[in-house]
């Protein structure tokens, strides 16, 4: 779930963090990796509807070092442009074939003209993800993909894996601030209050036009459905959370149990990390954990640098 697009308190990390993990030795094409959530806001304003840097090169062929393409799945009220300005170039710089989609758009967004994704039911969005994964597999010749998702993008794919045959096509699933067991009314209430302050006069985002919003709540039919079959057989899960997540309440609702599951709370590693639901996806700490989850044989210690909340 994404709170802010145009107004927020600066989500800054120290300048030294800007180079951490962004340029591995031996890489050829290099993209700038901005460890600031503002980069997402700027990209959405200047280049709406475009893939993030390093993504959607349909001629890309996975290497022996990274044999599976990575599919990026954005959050609620987000899209491929404004969710992945940090992680897409980071992954591309490390030699991955990266692909991103925008899913779940409706003909009547809560704010006219806004490019909001994730609004249809998560079951419907999972069908879109399924078709996109099939397209990526056909284009790259890979047997499987890895998924990296944020917010709804770490919640909706669970349905794809468990009910639409996705477990046979996904090797690793890295979820950042997902909702595996539902969020409380505190989380939804925080979301609504923030949305109304950002877009005065706009309809309640959890009504009508947002068909997925109620599915995030504790006890929803959707939550019961994904809990019933989680974790999907054969998929390796990494779930990353922050204690300061204002929308996933409680924050450990992002976690699962199981033999092939790793759960990470960022503050257990770094007390300087105050990332919230938004800035977590633009953090160099999160970035290194994602790289480690995708390629554990070459894992590196994540940095410990200050990370501020985005909102």
């Amino acid at each position: 779930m994404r709170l802010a697009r145009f107004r927020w308190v600066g989500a800054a990390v120290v300048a030294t963090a800007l180079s951490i993990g962004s340029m591995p030795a031996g890489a050829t094409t290099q993209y700038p990796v901005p460890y600031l959530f503002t980069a997402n806001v700027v990209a959405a304003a200047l280049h709406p509807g475009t893939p993030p840097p390093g993504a959607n090169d349909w001629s890309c062929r996975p290497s022996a070092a990274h044999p599976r393409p990575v599919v990026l799945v954005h959050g609620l009220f987000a899209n491929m442009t404004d969710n992945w300005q940090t992680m897409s170039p980071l992954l591309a710089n490390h030699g991955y074939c990266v692909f991103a989609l925008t899913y779940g758009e409706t003909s009547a967004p809560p704010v006219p003209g806004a490019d909001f994704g994730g609004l249809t039911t998560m079951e419907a969005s999972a069908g879109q993800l399924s078709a996109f994964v099939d397209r990526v597999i056909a284009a790259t010749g890979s047997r499987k993909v890895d998924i990296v998702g944020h917010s709804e993008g770490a919640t909706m794919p669970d349905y794809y894996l468990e009910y639409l045959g996705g477990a046979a096509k996904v090797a690793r699933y890295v979820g950042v601030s997902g909702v595996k067991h539902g969020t409380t009314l505190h989380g939804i209430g925080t979301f609504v209050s923030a949305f109304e302050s950002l877009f005065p006069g706009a309809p309640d985002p959890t009504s009508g036009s947002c068909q997925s919003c109620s599915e995030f709540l504790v006890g929803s039919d959707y939550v019961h459905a994904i809990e019933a079959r989680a974790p999907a057989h054969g998929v390796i899960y990494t779930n990353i959370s922050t204690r300061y997540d204002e929308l996933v309440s409680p924050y450990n609702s992002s976690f699962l149990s199981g033999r092939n599951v790793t759960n990470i709370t960022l503050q257990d590693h770094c007390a300087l990390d105050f990332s919230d639901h938004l800035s977590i996806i633009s953090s160099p700490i999160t970035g290194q954990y994602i790289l480690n989850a995708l390629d554990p044989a070459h894992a590196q210690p994540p940095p410990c640098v200050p990370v501020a909340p985005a909102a």
Side-chain angles (χ1 to χ4, degrees):
M1 284 177 270
R2 181 174 55 94
L3 285 178
R5 185 188 267 248
F6 305 113
R7 188 189 70 183
W8 50 296
V9 178
V13 285
V14 294
T16 55
L18 295 178
S19 62
I20 294 174
S22 60
M23 294 189 179
T28 54
T29 302
Q30 289 295 314
Y31 300 93
V33 180
Y35 289 112
L36 293 167
F37 189 78
T38 42
N40 294 304
V41 180
V42 171
L46 297 180
H47 309 290
T50 61
N56 292 5
D57 175 3
W58 293 95
S59 66
C60 186
R61 296 296 178 267
S63 64
H66 301 303
R68 294 181 300 275
V70 177
V71 174
L72 302 178
V73 189
H74 64 75
L76 176 62
F77 284 86
N79 55 64
M80 67 175 171
T81 308
D82 65 13
N83 212 135
W84 298 115
Q85 294 296 311
T86 300
M87 298 307 167
S88 179
L90 177 67
L91 291 167
N93 286 353
H94 279 77
Y96 289 94
C97 292
V98 181
F99 297 89
L101 77 161
T102 296
Y103 65 88
E105 295 170 295
T106 67
S107 58
V111 178
D115 186 15
F116 288 146
L119 300 181
T120 59
T121 66
M122 283 190 267
E123 295 90 337
S125 292
Q128 290 183 267
L129 175 60
S130 177
F132 189 79
V133 169
D134 287 349
R135 182 186 175 195
V136 170
I137 288 174
T140 60
S142 301
R143 290 182 56 251
K144 292 186 176 183
V145 304
D146 293 334
I147 287 177
V148 174
H150 173 227
S151 186
E152 183 175 351
T155 308
M156 173 273 286
D158 294 67
Y159 192 89
Y160 165 59
L161 296 177
E162 297 170 20
Y163 291 93
L164 301 183
K169 301 174 183 179
V170 176
R172 296 181 180 273
Y173 176 24
V174 186
V176 181
S177 288
V179 183
K180 309 298 189 183
H181 306 287
T183 185
T184 66
L185 287 172
H186 166 72
I188 293 296
T190 301
F191 171 63
V192 172
S193 297
F195 185 92
E196 290 174 346
S197 69
L198 291 165
F199 303 105
D204 180 346
T206 63
S207 65
S209 57
C210 182
Q211 301 164 25
S212 65
C213 284
S214 62
E215 294 186 308
F216 289 97
L217 288 172
V218 171
S220 73
D221 289 344
Y222 181 83
V223 167
H224 283 315
I226 63 172
E227 284 181 323
R229 297 189 181 183
H233 179 71
V235 179
I236 298 173
Y237 288 71
T238 301
N239 302 308
I240 303 170
S241 74
T242 171
R243 287 195 174 96
Y244 304 107
D245 197 316
E246 66 276 61
L247 299 185
V248 181
S249 170
Y251 72 89
N252 58 7
S253 181
S254 294
F255 293 162
L256 292 171
S257 59
R259 186 166 57 90
N260 290 328
V261 176
T262 300
N263 298 314
I264 297 167
T265 302
L266 294 177
Q267 289 73 30
D268 289 346
H269 164 70
C270 183
L272 300 175
D273 190 335
F274 292 92
S275 56
D276 62 4
H277 192 79
L278 297 182
S279 64
I280 190 173
I281 205 59
S282 303
S283 158
I285 303 174
T286 303
Q288 189 59 56
Y289 274 120
I290 290 173
L291 292 171
N292 291 351
L294 295 176
D295 187 9
H298 299 94
Q300 299 294 321
C304 182
V305 295
V307 180

